[in-house]
Amino acid sequence: VYRASSSMFLCKLCSPYWKQCINDSPISAHQPPPAKYGGRHTVTLIPGDGIGPELLNHVRELFRFCCVPVDFEVVTVDSSVVSEDEINNAVTAIRRNGVALKGNIETNHNLPPSHKSRNNLLRTSLDLYANVMHCQTLPGVQTRHKDIDIIIIRENTEGEYSSLEHENVPGVVESLKIITRVNSLRIAEYAFKLAREKGRRRVTAVHKANIMKLGDGLFLQCCKEVAAGYPDIAFDNMIVDNTTMQLVSKPQQFDVMVMPNLYGNVVSNVCAGLVGGPGLVPGANYGKNYAVFETATRNTGKSIANKNVANPTATLLASCLMLDHLGLVDYASMIRKAIFKTLSETRLHTADIGGLATTSEVVQSIMREVQKTGPLTSEYI
Amino acid sequence: MAGNAWRSTVSRVMGAVKSQTQPRTFSRGMQTVTIIPGDGIGPEISSAVIKIFEAAKVPIQWEERNVTAIKGPGGKWMIPPEAKESMDKSKIGLKGPLKTPIAAGHPSMNLLLRKTFDLYANVRPCVSIEGYKTPYTDVDLVTIRENTEGEYSGIEHVIVDGVVQSIKLITEDASRRIAEYAFEYARNNQRASVTAVHKANIMRMSDGLFLRKCREVAENFKDVKFTEMYLDTVCLNMVQDPTKFDVLVMPNLYGDILSDLCAGLIGGLGVTPSGNIGANGVAIFESVHGTAPDIAGKDMANPTALLLSAVMMLRHMGLHGHAKKIETACFDTIRDKKVWSRAVQYTALKKNPVSESVTLILLFIGICLSKFNVV
């Protein structure tokens, strides 16, 4: 109740942005890229591997059905190709359009280190420094823990993912983990701003500063400095191993969490597992000028590709986050409502959440819901 | 008698040379174990374990030692020489919680012990405890963590003001050693599979080296199934269905996080046993919870973690019969709601064991002892 009333108060204060305040959109200072060509947005679409292409096709189908004014510019990135031209083309396309929706691109870790992870290249080239994931218990999904509502903000560009490795002596490999003051301050600032916007009361920094005294110590210090400027939001910190232990026993104690790259990987996967699995949670990567939306746990789902059994919820919710980002808030809430309505029906659960429904059944049901409640749609089904 | 002592010494040496987990054979003699009570509630829970072992007539002679760091010749911090001698002789240790010193000038005792005895493998079997309910049932897995290098090498530099570099070190030797230990453990304990946990898609060279060594060692252990899995996939699947996992082997940081995650699944650090295996056949078993200074000396502490670690120690020594007896008694006690109710809830959520108005520890021992009278 407190959360709702505080956000309504903020909404009254900043009335031009009130629509953005009451939904899942990023920081209110953001300006969506201007819609060109007859009021329609162009968004880069990167199908990726595994279940990516089929689920993103469903997104396009749904958008066409709902008459969403978004056109997709498809850029394929083949994970087996060694040259980096394709991923560079994708980056150029995203620079042009400002927004992208993507599936995960597989990385073959048996290739030599010169072949870098395509997803990582995309994130670092576009400087998408904040990965935001909102995990909440969804109605209709059976889980061991109830009442989870955690926002995880993960630094997305440095830390352990700097890909700086060398072998000075044969048989001894060094991998560098880089933590900088600038990026730590930036992600902490983002976390607190987001917490304030959403009316959240506490931010927890996750670290391992008792062992990595300089690296994580710097990160923690930056978070403390930023916290001083937000006296209305409580700030505490927790060591990452204790965090995972607390997450599996009492996840309800967490509100907003901010952390460096690797711990973010672990914690976001744990939280996604707690609320029902990788098929339910959308993720967003925000930079100063660009935004890329994908599923939170970034799985390729090779084993279930093209079998019509994948759960489309995460990808569809990611597309709703994208619509919020573009300012098409009404379309986003219409689709989101339909998704949640479908999710609450057990007979429409896919295999990963314990049901027997196929992907197309779920998407059809969502379209029927939209038709029942929404404006005129393109086909009558 | 000299002949027996010689035989047991030779078998100990041979055991150390061959593999660390082969069951040891003892003739009539008692095996000496170095016990390090530790700080806070350490002394109480250690004496509880000793009493329980006496009641179960386990052929163990305890040698108590203190490991508070002292400054040796040359100004280097080290553990007291008596403690080192005792450990080197007995090769098996049982350790209670040690206080982490703040501003004492010396590094943590755990780190010193690790360096002194080259404790390269940290083994944590996580088995769901019947009678203590958590949202996860049927957990039965073992995490084996490389304990000497990786992200915890402690090598950090400030490159320029505001940019810090932390070095993660992965070496061929350490990776091979931990992989060999993991497969031997799986074989000796009849475990079906070993999974290597890594992040080689991002850290191609370092985790790639670790993976390569695991693959090489797997070639020599065809009876054990070997799989590889990304760290994030393991975390995701672990919280949804922990029964999918058996033995997990991984570098230092992932091991730290995953072993605590698994401990959380079964009820927390207050009920999780842990063992550290070192080179030269040394093995130190410990409880991993805190020292709980607020309840120290009040006869209120929960000795389960140390007791289960001691049971793990018995299995390592080959005394399987005694291990089973004590473990069954411990689980029966836990199932007894009278003793267990408030105790474990608190233990599970915090790192420190509990405060309880009944003298928990005596009740615990009493029930354990009564079980032995029946047997």
Side-chain angles (χ1 to χ4, degrees):
Chain A
V1 171
Y2 170 84
R3 214 172 281 168
S5 60
S6 78
S7 63
M8 291 312 281
F9 176 68
L10 280 172
C11 293
K12 291 196 177 90
L13 277 187
C14 37
S15 44
Y17 302 114
W18 77 273
K19 268 195 179 152
Q20 281 185 327
C21 282
I22 55 171
N23 60 36
D24 241 38
S25 75
I27 297 184
S28 55
H30 144 78
Q31 291 291 335
K36 301 172 182 166
Y37 307 120
R40 297 180 68 80
H41 297 264
T42 310
V43 167
T44 309
L45 186 80
I46 302 170
D49 299 310
I51 51 175
E54 74 182 269
L55 294 182
L56 290 171
N57 274 338
H58 285 303
V59 169
R60 280 198 278 185
E61 208 183 299
L62 184 63
F63 276 22
R64 229 181 323 213
F65 180 78
C66 305
C67 302
V68 176
V70 167
D71 293 319
F72 288 105
E73 182 190 344
V74 181
V75 184
T76 35
V77 178
D78 192 352
S79 54
S80 51
V81 170
V82 172
S83 104
E84 291 185 6
D85 287 340
E86 291 199 345
I87 192 68
N88 289 334
N89 289 342
V91 168
T92 315
I94 301 174
R95 284 209 169 102
R96 187 177 43 242
N97 297 321
V99 181
L101 188 59
K102 80 183 256 290
N104 196 44
I105 306 165
E106 199 193 331
T107 310
N108 183 355
H109 59 264
N110 297 313
L111 290 174
S114 49
H115 184 263
K116 300 200 192 306
S117 155
R118 301 297 184 238
N119 305 301
N120 206 22
L121 273 176
L122 203 120
R123 289 192 292 267
T124 46
S125 319
L126 296 168
D127 198 23
L128 302 169
Y129 64 89
N131 177 277
V132 181
M133 175 173 146
H134 186 183
C135 282
Q136 36 180 188
T137 306
L138 297 172
V141 180
Q142 281 284 58
T143 52
R144 289 183 175 92
H145 306 269
K146 311 268 176 272
D147 301 322
I148 300 175
D149 192 356
I150 308 174
I151 297 183
I152 298 166
I153 297 159
R154 161 190 176 186
E155 210 292 325
N156 219 4
T157 53
E158 54 172 25
E160 297 83 348
Y161 287 40
S162 344
S163 302
L164 295 165
E165 297 177 300
H166 49 261
E167 191 169 357
N168 279 335
V169 173
V172 176
V173 176
E174 287 183 351
S175 174
L176 304 180
K177 162 179 164 164
I178 310 286
I179 302 274
T180 56
R181 197 175 161 69
V182 167
N183 289 346
S184 305
L185 283 173
R186 194 168 60 162
I187 194 69
E189 193 63 53
Y190 186 94
F192 278 92
K193 271 216 190 95
L194 191 68
R196 185 175 265 177
E197 270 211 10
K198 304 258 178 164
R200 299 287 191 151
R201 289 146 89 185
R202 198 159 52 95
V203 172
T204 307
V206 178
H207 63 97
K208 191 88 191 157
N210 52 343
I211 306 282
M212 285 181 255
K213 297 186 169 69
L214 289 183
D216 286 351
L218 176 61
F219 178 81
L220 197 55
Q221 198 194 337
C222 294
C223 290
K224 283 189 181 139
E225 280 175 26
V226 173
Y230 290 82
D232 51 324
I233 300 177
F235 173 69
D236 58 4
N237 65 76
M238 202 183 260
I239 300 183
V240 62
D241 44 9
N242 193 19
T243 309
T244 47
M245 212 170 0
Q246 300 289 332
L247 275 171
V248 292
S249 40
K250 205 165 146 286
Q252 297 81 7
Q253 63 182 289
F254 295 104
D255 197 356
V256 177
M257 296 166 82
V258 62
M259 59 204 92
N261 218 331
L262 184 68
Y263 312 145
N265 188 224
V266 172
V267 170
S268 54
N269 276 275
V270 170
C271 290
L274 291 174
V275 296
L280 295 175
V281 194
N285 304 287
Y286 296 108
K288 189 153 162 284
N289 303 313
Y290 313 109
V292 174
F293 300 88
E294 54 179 350
T295 64
T297 48
R298 304 172 179 167
N299 303 97
T300 34
K302 252 190 326 201
S303 53
I304 52 170
N306 299 318
K307 291 184 184 162
N308 203 17
V309 293
N311 193 338
T313 311
T315 314
L316 291 172
L317 286 175
S319 64
C320 292
L321 288 179
M322 183 195 72
L323 291 174
D324 286 330
H325 182 86
L326 291 173
L328 300 168
V329 172
D330 295 328
Y331 289 103
S333 19
M334 174 178 83
I335 298 176
R336 207 175 268 133
K337 229 186 330 192
I339 296 174
F340 289 147
K341 185 85 201 324
T342 307
L343 204 56
S344 61
E345 284 178 54
T346 325
R347 67 177 178 86
L348 288 166
H349 281 186
T350 44
D352 61 316
I353 43 177
L356 295 165
T358 60
T359 317
S360 19
E361 276 171 30
V362 176
V363 175
Q364 293 287 315
S365 159
I366 294 172
M367 291 205 261
R368 262 194 302 267
E369 278 302 324
V370 164
Q371 182 156 62
K372 261 190 257 174
T373 58
L376 274 177
T377 45
S378 67
E379 292 137 50
Y380 191 78
I381 47 156
Chain B
M1 198 161 123
N4 287 340
W6 172 245
R7 230 176 288 136
S8 61
T9 315
V10 167
S11 68
R12 221 180 295 148
V13 169
M14 291 307 290
V17 165
K18 260 190 277 180
S19 94
Q20 281 86 356
T21 53
Q22 276 196 2
R24 293 158 207 274
T25 48
F26 301 104
S27 38
R28 270 157 271 160
M30 302 267 271
Q31 170 73 348
T32 316
V33 170
T34 310
I35 183 159
I36 301 160
D39 308 304
I41 52 165
E44 303 169 49
I45 55 179
S46 309
S47 58
V49 169
I50 293 176
K51 282 200 193 93
I52 294 173
F53 271 44
E54 262 170 34
K57 299 197 184 47
V58 183
I60 279 184
Q61 213 170 287
W62 301 97
E63 232 175 61
E64 203 175 297
R65 289 286 178 272
N66 188 342
V67 290
T68 319
I70 57 168
K71 240 192 176 153
K76 242 182 116 182
W77 288 99
M78 53 183 233
I79 63 171
E82 315 86 58
K84 185 164 188 329
E85 249 178 68
S86 170
M87 265 314 293
D88 282 335
K89 211 167 34 130
S90 59
K91 298 287 182 191
I92 311 276
L94 186 65
K95 177 175 89 61
L98 291 174
K99 196 166 51 180
T100 312
I102 308 172
H106 62 76
S108 87
M109 257 86 80
N110 287 314
L111 192 60
L112 267 180
L113 275 172
R114 206 172 299 150
K115 288 219 155 79
T116 315
F117 299 107
D118 195 15
L119 301 172
Y120 66 89
N122 178 276
V123 184
R124 255 192 231 179
C126 294
V127 184
S128 279
I129 295 178
E130 226 185 291
Y132 179 45
K133 232 178 129 308
T134 56
Y136 299 91
T137 52
D138 304 324
V139 180
D140 185 9
L141 52 91
V142 181
T143 55
I144 298 179
R145 157 194 175 188
E146 208 291 324
N147 220 0
T148 56
E149 55 171 28
E151 297 82 348
Y152 293 2
S153 50
I155 312 169
E156 294 185 286
H157 316 106
V158 179
I159 314 279
V160 292
D161 194 20
V163 178
V164 176
Q165 157 188 304
S166 230
I167 296 189
K168 163 177 165 166
L169 204 64
I170 300 276
T171 56
E172 232 180 77
D173 292 333
S175 306
R176 192 183 329 114
R177 196 164 58 163
I178 191 75
E180 267 168 14
Y181 179 77
F183 278 96
E184 266 165 26
Y185 183 93
R187 189 178 264 174
N188 293 338
N189 290 277
Q190 287 87 44
R191 310 291 306 206
S193 71
V194 171
T195 307
V197 181
H198 65 96
K199 259 220 95 57
N201 49 347
I202 303 289
M203 287 178 260
R204 197 69 55 81
M205 278 176 87
S206 35
D207 284 353
L209 175 60
F210 180 80
L211 262 190
R212 263 199 320 275
K213 288 296 139 201
C214 289
R215 283 180 197 151
E216 276 172 27
V217 173
E219 293 298 310
N220 301 333
F221 289 84
K222 292 284 191 194
D223 49 330
V224 179
K225 180 160 163 256
F226 174 66
T227 46
E228 307 165 1
M229 216 184 234
Y230 288 137
L231 172 67
D232 39 9
T233 316
V234 171
C235 289
L236 190 59
N237 293 338
M238 182 76 75
V239 292
Q240 294 185 280
D241 186 15
T243 58
K244 283 199 205 137
F245 298 100
D246 196 354
V247 177
L248 300 166
V249 64
M250 56 210 118
N252 216 333
L253 175 70
Y254 313 151
D256 192 8
I257 300 177
L258 270 183
S259 57
D260 278 7
L261 178 67
C262 298
L265 296 177
I266 59 167
L269 293 180
V271 294
T272 312
S274 171
N276 298 294
I277 311 296
N280 307 319
V282 170
I284 300 184
F285 297 86
E286 59 176 355
S287 59
V288 282
H289 53 70
T291 51
D294 48 336
I295 55 166
K298 294 188 189 156
D299 221 0
M300 293 178 182
N302 184 345
T304 311
L306 195 62
L307 189 58
L308 288 177
S309 304
V311 165
M312 207 176 144
M313 176 186 80
L314 287 174
R315 292 217 161 91
H316 178 90
M317 290 160 65
L319 297 167
H320 295 283
H322 293 283
K324 191 90 193 114
K325 216 166 34 166
I326 299 178
E327 198 186 44
T328 320
C330 183
F331 289 161
D332 286 342
T333 314
I334 293 172
R335 230 175 286 141
D336 188 339
K337 299 267 190 292
K338 208 180 345 151
V339 178
W340 202 247
S341 45
R342 269 174 281 172
V344 177
Q345 280 170 330
Y346 205 84
T347 313
L349 296 178
K350 317 259 174 180
K351 278 199 174 193
N352 301 321
V354 71
S355 310
E356 167 63 57
S357 56
V358 176
T359 50
L360 178 69
I361 213 173
L362 285 180
L363 220 56
F364 198 98
I365 297 174
I367 292 176
C368 275
L369 295 182
S370 66
K371 298 279 180 284
F372 296 134
N373 287 340
V374 175
V375 175

